[in-house]
Structure formats: structure tokens, C-alpha cells
Amino acid sequence: MVDYKALYQEVILDHNKKPRNYGTLAHASHHAVGHNPLCGDHISVALNLDGECIDCIAFQGESCAICKASASMMTATIKGKSRADAEILIQEFLAMATGKLDLDSPNHIGRLAVFAGVCDLPTRVKCAILPWHTLHAAFNSVASTSTEAEDDPIYTPIGNA
Amino acid sequence: MEPFDVERIRADFPILRLKVWGKPLVYLDNAASSQMPQPVIDRLARYQTTQHANINRAVHYLSETATSEYEEARRKLQRFISAREEREVIFTSGTTDGINLVMHGYGRKLIGAGDEIILTTLEHHSNIVPWQMLAEEKGAKIRVVPINDAGELLIGEYEKLFNERTKFVGVMHVSNALGTINPVKHMIAFAHAHGVPVLVDGAQAAPHMMIDVQDLDCDFYAFSGHKLCGPTGIGILYGKAALLETMQPFKGGGDMILSVTFEKTTYNTIPHKFEAGTPPIAAAIGLGAAVDYLSAIGMDAIAAHELDLLNYATEQVNRMPGVRIIGTAGNKAAVLSFTVDGVHPHDVGTLLNQEGVAVRTGHHCAQPVMQRFRVPATSRASFAFYNTLAEVDALIAGIRTMQKVFA
């Protein structure tokens, strides 16, 4: 059985309380809004690509601690990285959140592994992955995305949902 | 009447002995679905073991037994809501199905372009969306009764909405999101004075108070079985016989006809006209057993115990800094919707679950209510007659723990 408390670790509570890169960008080259219609949560992600490099990124929205901490850590992690590296990380994060990533094999997850426990909570997986869906949508200039949209470019069946 | 013995009642509910995360289950999500007592479980088993066949068809023993038990269940429901006649009780799959039946059977026949349908801000999506579909199809208009900051309907505003185009009123008896008990009897009388029929969504009322459809004088009353200790997939729609007679069937199929040729079909009489196909026979019989069970305890005793729980919980929560109750109507059923400062309802739900406490978090299928209170979602503890004051304490302790975690 998963220990629920493991999910609400210090690092997640800290990012929830003091989210990094929270706000808007004056000059964003890419932008998307993500919704989780099941709970009404929504976040927006804006970023600026300098060539292939993400030179700044910000997020804003109304969400639970899991979603907000995920967005905060996501922005902190990918800032300064290339778009290609960020896309790899998106796929790895989605795989981890749905229990499909072997954390013992080589990966780029690093401290994002604090979200690994979410895969045992089917109703909370969507909270953790919403920022990543939204980031992907932003890269592809999809104006809005949703954890429920079947035509979502990276729609992944989640848990038993 | 014997004094209310909650521990003896709890012994009837095997699921309440469960442990969640090593802690005793504290089930406070009764507005979503209630639990099933052993007598209802036993009744379902007895039906499946000794009485099952399809109804209204064959002449053999089992079919006749199943048919008579199914119709006996209908009479139990008739008595439960004090309907004048048993043919006024239609078995549906639940409240949503009942409302859709009225929308199709009554609305599509009798509501037209420019007509107005009155609903309230408090409505569950199931009493909004069908009417929006109808309004779109017919070019009708939906008018909405506003609420005050306590979550009570503004009855003066309701009365002002009536005009010669008003053709229908849909109102919930008890708010699932806030617990407000609406003054439906007065609203029905007012609508009738304008010649307008009223549908009452009784999903949250029927499990918690005595329902007398003749006293209310409502035209339609719908509720679900699984919220009053019965199985899922069953509910009833009460309708006044004269109205049901004029309505068109919602679903076509077997059982709802008297004769069929390719030239012409003659519909069956009510209630069968509205029960096309093989109904959930076992579930209907189970629901009959559930209302027997509730009636034996007494709906007034149930309401009184639940009010004790609500008052105690409200008092406790009001003393907690950083916790806000959403919905403070003077007349409330045992629903406590709340927000915790700095903690999103989803996190509230997950953290309470870890203490064994089951609450609902989200918009409760009542997004207009959430918008009115400017919150994306709330956490909701909803009590049943088998809950205890100690379980309220477990809820309060869980909220305190979470406030520490998020401090």
C-alpha cells in the first residue's frame, strides 16, 4: 500500500507555498492554458524560446498542491534547457506519473521523483501531469489543453480512469 | 417508538466495519451515495436466489413471482412518498433519468419557442442540462432564481420571474452542494397559482426527511435509490396521473406497448408506458426493501439524528480558524460544505482519506453554485443516520492535522 504521506513531502509543500516562476511573461513566444474539468483546476504556462533554448518560463493558475508543486518544479527544471530536452522530460514525467517508468534505468527525472507516488492515486495523477500537458501544448502552440481531451496530442490513459 | 440507537443501526451496515489505511472508515460521502444495510443485501440475494425471471411476460411461476415482487416494490415506494396511486410511481434508473423523462415526455410536447423554464442557481447539473437541451431545441428560455450569501433561494425574485410565457419550474428540494432545504411547498403553490407545473429533484431530500407528494402538491418528484440505502441503477419518478397520461413516452420498446403493427403502436397504460425494456427488477425490489428499512427506523427519527450531527459539526467547524462553511442556510439538511484556507479541496480530500475519512471534494456537479461563492470547489462532508458524533470528531481532527501539514 502506498503511504499517502509520502506524496506530501516537504519539497512538494514548499513548492506549493512558495511556487517558483509564478506569474506571467511580458514577451512569451509560446503559451497554453490547461484545464482539469474534473476539479475545475486550470493553469497557464508561458515561455520564451530563444532559438531552441527556453530562456524564461512562468506559470499561473488555480490548483491543488500537487498540481502547483508539479508546475513549480517543472518550470525550475526546464528553464535554460533546450526544447528537445524538455520534450524528453515531459514524456518521462508522464510515464512516471502513470507508473510506466523504471526509475532504476537511466532517466532525467532527478528530484521530480518526489511525484512517483502519485501513480498509486488514480484520481490525483491528473493533478500532477496537468502542467506537463500544458507545457507540451504550449510548445505546439495548442491554445488550450485538457486532461480529459481525447484528441490531446499526448493523451495518456490514466490509471483506471 | 424506541430511542434512536445508532450503534445498533451501524451493526446493520457491514461496510462500516472496514478499515482504511489502518483506521476505521468514517464515511461522510452520503450525499454521493449511501451504504447498504444487511436486510437490503439479503433481499437482493433472496430475489436472485429464489425469485428471478423476467417480468410481465411468461406465465410460469418465477415470472409471476418476479412480477408480483416488482409491483409490490412499487407499492412500497408509493407509500413511502404518500402518492395517491401506485401507477404514479415510475421506476427509472435514477434522478437524472427521471428528470430526462419529464424533459422528453412533458417538455418536448408542451414547451415551445419563447416559453420560459424557471430553474434555480442551486440546481445539480442533472436539473440544468436537460432543460438547456430542450431550450436549445425549442427556442425556449431558462430563467434562474438567484440565491443569497447563505445559499438560500431569493423567493421574492422567484416570484418576479413568472409571466405568461412561464411554462415549467424545476427545483431541487435539498441542495447537494450546500444542504439548503428549499421552501418547495410554497414555490409549488405559487407556480400553480400561475398554472405552471413543478418538478422537484428530491435526490438529496428523500433519504433524509419524510416526503409527502400529496402534501407538497408537486407535479413531479424524482429521486435515486442508491442515496437511500438501495442499489444503484434504480430510482423513481413520481408524476401526477393526469399529467403522466398526457405525456409522450421517453423510450420505446417492449413492455411499454399494448399492441404493435408496422402501421400503428398503441402505448401501454401508466406507469408501464414509461418503463420500456426489462427494468432493473432486482434493484427495484432492493429499493423496496430499503424504504422498508428506513421506514422502520422512521424518517423523523433519521432527520432528528442527522440534525444533531449537522449542528455539532457546524459548531466545531465554526470554532476552527481558517475553515469556512459554504452554505449557512437557516434550514439545512446534514451537508457541510467547507473550504480550508491555503489548502485546495483536492488536497483536503486526499489528506482526510489518509485518516480514514471519506468526503467529497470538487464542484459537486453544481458549478453555478461554486461560481456564486467564487470558489473552484469545496470539500463536503455529508451525514447519514448511521454516522456518529465521534465521526464528526474524526473529521475535525483530520482538518486540524492537515492545517499543521500545510502551515
Side-chain angles (χ1 to χ4, degrees):
Chain A
M1 262 190 183
V2 61
D3 179 5
Y4 275 67
K5 278 175 184 146
L7 192 57
Y8 291 89
Q9 291 174 36
E10 206 55 50
V11 56
I12 287 183
L13 293 170
D14 178 66
H15 275 268
N16 174 56
K17 212 168 169 184
K18 293 175 289 191
R20 323 297 197 262
N21 305 303
Y22 193 84
T24 52
L25 286 186
H27 304 289
S29 60
H30 293 71
H31 174 259
V33 179
H35 290 277
N36 183 347
L38 292 186
C39 58
D41 285 359
H42 57 91
I43 70 158
S44 64
V45 171
L47 60 95
N48 194 55
L49 276 183
D50 179 11
E52 279 300 296
C53 175
I54 302 156
D55 70 354
C56 52
I57 180 163
F59 82 99
Q60 217 174 22
E62 185 90 47
S63 70
C64 65
I66 303 301
C67 182
K68 194 185 265 183
S70 176
S72 173
M73 291 179 71
M74 174 185 83
T75 58
T77 308
I78 69 157
K79 199 172 183 175
K81 282 199 164 59
S82 73
R83 174 180 171 158
D85 285 347
E87 293 277 18
I88 290 168
L89 202 53
I90 290 171
Q91 296 308 329
E92 288 186 356
F93 190 92
L94 294 178
M96 176 180 74
T98 50
K100 295 184 194 109
L101 185 73
D102 178 6
L103 282 167
D104 295 330
S105 63
N107 62 65
H108 309 81
I109 286 293
R111 61 206 185 101
L112 292 168
V114 292
F115 291 98
V118 85
C119 70
D120 291 320
L121 304 173
T123 55
R124 304 306 304 276
V125 171
K126 291 173 187 193
C127 310
I129 66 177
L130 181 62
W132 299 83
H133 272 274
T134 311
L135 173 63
H136 183 82
F139 279 142
N140 292 285
S141 297
V142 177
S144 80
T145 185
S146 162
T147 53
E148 297 304 291
E150 297 199 10
D151 56 353
D152 191 302
I154 48 169
Y155 176 76
T156 320
I158 293 157
N160 299 321
Chain B
M1 200 172 70
E2 291 175 48
F4 193 86
D5 183 349
V6 70
E7 289 307 325
R8 211 185 66 194
I9 286 168
R10 290 178 69 80
D12 288 337
F13 290 80
I15 207 166
L16 298 180
R17 287 167 225 153
L18 273 188
K19 292 208 165 178
V20 176
W21 309 113
K23 308 209 166 138
L25 167 68
V26 175
Y27 187 76
L28 303 180
D29 194 18
N30 295 286
S33 199
S34 57
Q35 300 298 345
M36 190 182 280
Q38 194 64 48
V40 178
I41 298 170
D42 290 345
R43 184 66 190 90
L44 291 171
R46 182 157 72 88
Y47 170 76
Q48 295 295 169
T49 315
T50 64
Q51 297 178 320
H52 173 68
N54 210 333
I55 57 167
N56 300 330
R57 283 171 171 78
V59 295
H60 58 74
Y61 165 76
L62 279 181
S63 180
E64 283 176 349
T65 306
T67 304
S68 80
E69 293 297 331
Y70 180 75
E71 291 304 325
E72 178 57 25
R74 193 191 308 279
R75 283 188 288 278
K76 287 177 180 185
L77 270 298
Q78 177 206 345
R79 286 194 293 273
F80 186 65
I81 59 169
S82 300
R84 201 172 288 108
E85 305 175 57
E86 62 187 85
R87 65 191 183 119
E88 295 179 317
V89 175
I90 299 161
F91 281 118
T92 62
S93 71
T95 311
T96 298
D97 192 35
I99 294 170
N100 277 275
L101 193 162
V102 177
M103 185 278 266
H104 284 275
Y106 182 91
R108 293 184 76 192
K109 191 172 176 185
L110 296 161
I111 295 173
D115 288 345
E116 296 185 2
I117 300 161
I118 296 177
L119 303 174
T120 84
T121 305
L122 292 174
E123 297 314 303
H124 187 282
H125 296 165
S126 63
N127 203 22
I128 299 175
V129 181
W131 303 110
Q132 283 177 329
M133 292 162 81
L134 180 72
E136 194 176 345
E137 178 186 321
K138 299 287 186 179
K141 199 171 161 192
I142 289 171
R143 310 292 303 271
V144 183
V145 185
I147 55 175
N148 63 18
D149 290 340
E152 296 163 319
L153 293 178
L154 297 174
I155 296 303
E157 297 300 313
Y158 164 71
E159 294 176 356
K160 280 188 219 154
L161 289 176
F162 282 82
N163 60 48
E164 68 285 355
R165 306 302 297 169
T166 308
K167 287 289 152 61
F168 199 80
V169 172
V171 57
M172 65 185 352
H173 199 165
V174 171
S175 160
N176 69 309
L178 307 179
T180 313
I181 301 175
N182 292 319
V184 290
K185 189 174 174 180
H186 167 80
M187 294 172 78
I188 292 162
F190 190 88
H192 286 174
H194 291 76
V196 176
V198 179
L199 161 78
V200 179
D201 166 358
Q204 297 297 336
H208 306 293
M209 59 181 77
M210 185 94 79
I211 303 300
D212 182 333
V213 291
Q214 290 190 66
D215 178 57
L216 289 176
D217 199 26
C218 53
D219 301 280
F220 301 102
Y221 198 98
F223 62 84
S224 301
H226 70 96
K227 293 190 202 288
L228 65 163
C229 301
T232 53
I234 190 77
I236 67 150
L237 172 71
Y238 158 83
K240 284 181 178 167
L243 276 170
L244 293 175
E245 300 272 22
T246 64
M247 284 160 57
Q248 60 192 19
F250 169 27
K251 298 168 189 164
D255 267 355
M256 56 76 73
I257 50 84
L258 287 178
S259 71
V260 176
T261 67
F262 277 100
E263 286 69 44
K264 184 175 169 54
T265 288
T266 309
Y267 299 135
N268 204 337
T269 51
I270 60 167
H272 311 291
K273 181 167 86 171
F274 298 106
E275 294 180 1
T278 299
I281 307 163
I285 291 168
L287 178 55
V291 299
D292 276 350
Y293 180 82
L294 294 174
S295 301
I297 296 170
M299 293 312 292
D300 288 338
I302 285 173
H305 177 69
E306 290 177 354
L307 188 62
D308 285 346
L309 293 169
L310 176 70
N311 288 341
Y312 180 64
T314 305
E315 206 176 288
Q316 298 293 311
V317 168
N318 277 338
R319 275 195 220 140
M320 302 179 81
V323 186
R324 174 186 166 212
I325 295 176
I326 308 287
T328 50
N331 195 11
K332 263 183 79 168
V335 169
L336 196 77
S337 229
F338 61 94
T339 57
V340 182
D341 286 354
V343 193
H344 187 281
H346 250 174
D347 299 313
V348 172
T350 298
L351 287 158
L352 284 176
N353 180 55
Q354 146 188 317
E355 306 296 326
V357 180
V359 298
R360 167 82 193 272
T361 60
H363 53 58
H364 315 295
C365 298
Q367 287 180 349
V369 177
M370 300 296 113
Q371 288 150 14
R372 170 64 176 74
F373 285 95
R374 297 179 193 284
V375 292
T378 71
S379 304
R380 178 189 70 187
S382 53
F383 304 98
F385 57 95
Y386 43 69
N387 288 127
T388 65
L389 295 174
E391 290 182 308
V392 175
D393 290 335
L395 168 71
I396 301 299
I399 299 172
R400 279 212 185 92
T401 305
M402 131 194 5
Q403 284 181 315
K404 274 181 212 140
V405 170
F406 273 78

